[in-house]
Amino acid sequence: MDPSRAHTGGPVGATSKRSLFLIIFFAALCGTLVAFLLIKWVTSANDTKPLSPQEQQVLSDKLRVIGISYSASADAGATLEPAPYTEKGAVRTVTFTERELNRMIAESPEWAGKLSIDLSDHLASARLAIPLDPDFPLLGGKTLHVHTGLDIRYQNGAPSVKIVGVSLWGVPLPNAWLGELKNKDLVQEYRHEQGFWHGFAQGVEEIAVQEGELYVKLKP
């Protein structure tokens, strides 16, 4: 009798390994589908009720400060009057509530039903739904659900942005898959490079996320 065959169990051992692989594979697939259904149910309950006339006016005023018209009908008949440039009396602070952000998303043809924002103390969380191509293996035609969180605050004289985590279908991704950036301050990590984070750090004087609200103050 071949000793190596005795240790491996020959064809029987190979069959057991294949069976174990199939069990693990189908267990993982079932878990993924259950997570998908749960997340789909939770995200469908997101509050995107229309703003009241008073809330809509407040949002319009905020957007007008940064040169954006909230109402498309307002853009249609608007005329742009010439005016000399001045920064005297310019507003450098912007504050948006979670409800305002989600309502703007709900009214966007591109993002409606695909993105939602949650604001809590120092934490900005986002849920994103990405339709998968019908030819995608196994899950073609389904919707990929991504849930991510950013720790945002202002400390040590600079803005701080850290990735709290990223989940796919409710399954947290390993830190290694995120480039070992989990819980690292992205601003401090990249502020000395010429790019987005450098410009972001140079332009923000103060930033804060609290329950239901985002506040940003820009430098002159």
Side-chain angles (χ1 to χ4, degrees):
M1 181 176 181
D2 187 349
S4 62
R5 186 184 180 99
H7 283 294
T8 60
V12 175
T15 301
S16 298
K17 290 180 180 179
R18 284 196 297 269
S19 300
L20 179 61
F21 171 79
L22 289 175
I23 292 172
I24 294 174
F25 173 79
F26 283 112
L29 180 60
C30 290
T32 299
L33 292 176
V34 170
F36 166 75
L37 293 174
L38 286 175
I39 294 175
K40 185 175 181 180
W41 176 78
V42 171
T43 54
S44 66
N46 183 53
D47 179 17
T48 57
K49 294 185 294 184
L51 300 176
S52 68
Q54 293 79 8
E55 291 175 320
Q56 185 167 338
Q57 184 58 53
V58 170
L59 177 57
S60 296
D61 292 341
K62 291 179 181 180
L63 293 175
R64 192 176 298 110
V65 168
I66 57 177
I68 299 175
S69 295
Y70 179 61
S71 172
S73 59
D75 286 337
T79 58
L80 197 60
E81 298 294 335
Y85 178 80
T86 179
E87 293 188 357
K88 185 178 180 180
V91 177
R92 300 186 186 278
T93 61
V94 182
T95 303
F96 288 108
T97 67
E98 175 186 308
R99 180 163 159 73
E100 289 171 340
L101 293 174
N102 282 312
R103 190 57 205 166
M104 285 190 288
I105 292 171
E107 293 184 0
S108 166
E110 182 178 0
W111 294 107
K114 298 178 182 177
L115 175 65
S116 64
I117 304 294
D118 179 87
L119 302 176
S120 55
D121 290 344
H122 306 302
L123 180 65
S125 304
R127 278 196 170 120
L128 180 64
I130 305 173
L132 296 177
D133 189 277
D135 296 329
F136 193 85
L138 296 177
L139 299 173
K142 301 294 184 181
T143 301
L144 176 65
H145 283 268
V146 181
H147 196 188
T148 185
L150 295 176
D151 182 294
I152 302 176
R153 61 185 74 199
Y154 195 88
Q155 59 185 15
N156 302 323
S160 170
V161 180
K162 299 178 182 178
I163 298 176
V164 176
V166 178
S167 296
L168 297 183
W169 280 310
V171 180
L173 297 183
N175 191 24
W177 292 9
L178 301 176
E180 302 293 343
L181 291 176
K182 190 174 179 179
N183 296 319
K184 284 188 177 180
D185 189 343
L186 300 179
V187 177
Q188 292 298 323
E189 193 81 8
Y190 298 109
R191 69 178 302 176
H192 300 298
E193 301 178 10
Q194 295 298 322
F196 170 79
W197 293 113
H198 174 79
F200 178 76
Q202 295 298 313
V204 174
E205 183 172 322
E206 189 176 351
I207 187 169
V209 177
Q210 58 188 24
E211 188 65 41
E213 187 174 86
L214 168 66
Y215 168 82
V216 182
K217 182 178 182 181
L218 304 179
K219 292 182 179 178

